Amino acid sequence: MSDHPPRREVVHGDAVAWLAERPDLEDSSVIATMPDVSELGVSLERWREFFLGAARAVLLAAPPDGLAVFIQTDNKFEGRWVSKAGLVLRVADELDVPLLFHKIVCRRPPGSLIHGRPGYSHILAFSRRARDDAAHPTPDVLPDLGAMPWSHSIGTRAAEAAVTAVRRLSPATTRIVVPFCGLGTILAVANARGFDAVGIERNRKRAEAARTFELEPEPAAKSSSPE
């Protein structure tokens, strides 16, 4: 890692266009959380076209030794399941970028009944050269999302899992690029773990907030003193 304190840059703009202009980012890994059809306000067909293009841009932007990590939650549209994980896997297969791991993050306790969205999210990591280390396994199922800084946040536990995977599997990575960065949860986690971070966000207010967003400190554990 670099000797300087971790830096952060947030670009107000189109994440897909930004990535397309910078294929094969040097010394970087990419962590993406692409928006739902409801967030874009377009038809399902237009959203699917956007999503496939965004997944392609993310996978092409990550250098061979870096990771492309997707944190996505499926949903239902007019009574049919929309599998974002399936769409990402489809693009990765077309580009011949191997899957390193596929983890599940519980959004609700197992057995909960939820309408519209599943009780879990996906974390999928891809790389052309990196290899997962079977001698040092990590959990395939995370029990919860962690803290939720805002309503559309991915949760701090999911962000930590993605950033930790980059640290573990891509030693060459010194910078984490976060398209569709929102308020900056992943940026804050990346900086806290010593990575420089670049976020791209099309919403101006969220981009401004992401430039300075910091994680809330973990509550101190209560000590049990003898009576």
Side-chain angles (χ1 to χ4, degrees):
M1 307 300 290
S2 301
D3 295 331
H4 63 75
R7 293 187 286 247
R8 184 186 308 183
E9 176 188 359
V10 177
V11 178
H12 172 232
D14 184 298
V16 177
W18 192 94
L19 290 172
E21 294 171 358
R22 299 163 177 81
D24 213 14
L25 292 163
E26 187 177 355
D27 300 329
S28 299
S29 288
V30 185
I31 301 177
T33 57
M34 274 98 78
D36 291 337
V37 59
S38 60
E39 294 177 79
L40 289 188
V42 297
S43 67
L44 181 61
E45 291 74 20
R46 289 286 302 276
W47 172 85
R48 192 187 303 272
E49 180 182 348
F50 156 81
F51 191 95
L52 292 171
R56 175 178 290 272
V58 169
L59 287 161
L60 290 175
D65 291 331
L67 269 60
V69 185
F70 296 84
I71 306 175
Q72 301 291 166
T73 303
D74 300 333
N75 58 19
K76 286 183 180 179
F77 187 83
E78 297 182 349
R80 293 179 176 177
W81 205 255
V82 179
S83 174
K84 296 180 187 174
L87 293 174
V88 171
L89 288 165
R90 169 181 155 186
V91 176
D93 185 60
E94 291 173 355
L95 295 176
D96 196 25
V97 183
L99 176 69
L100 284 179
F101 63 74
H102 184 175
K103 297 181 183 295
I104 296 295
V105 186
C106 294
R107 301 179 61 248
R108 297 289 187 275
S112 300
L113 298 179
I114 306 171
H115 299 285
R117 305 192 83 189
Y120 58 86
S121 295
H122 303 272
I123 305 180
L124 302 103
F126 302 84
S127 179
R128 291 175 177 82
R129 292 182 185 165
R131 296 289 187 273
D132 204 353
D133 184 0
H136 299 88
T138 58
D140 291 323
V141 179
L142 282 65
D144 59 69
L145 286 168
M148 297 286 289
W150 67 302
S151 60
H152 290 285
S153 174
I154 63 165
T156 54
R157 188 184 296 274
E160 290 275 2
V163 172
T164 299
V166 171
R167 169 64 60 77
R168 183 170 62 92
L169 301 175
S170 179
T173 293
T174 59
R175 179 179 67 167
I176 291 180
V177 176
V178 188
F180 319 105
C181 69
L183 288 184
T185 304
I186 300 173
L187 301 176
V189 171
N191 283 161
R193 296 295 174 265
F195 290 101
D196 292 339
V198 177
I200 308 95
E201 172 57 49
R202 65 174 182 158
N203 181 283
R204 184 179 297 277
K205 288 186 177 180
R206 287 199 290 266
E208 291 174 355
R211 293 186 177 107
T212 57
F213 177 78
E214 298 293 341
L215 299 171
E216 292 290 334
E218 294 288 338
K222 294 183 178 179
S223 59
S224 54
S225 55
E227 297 182 358

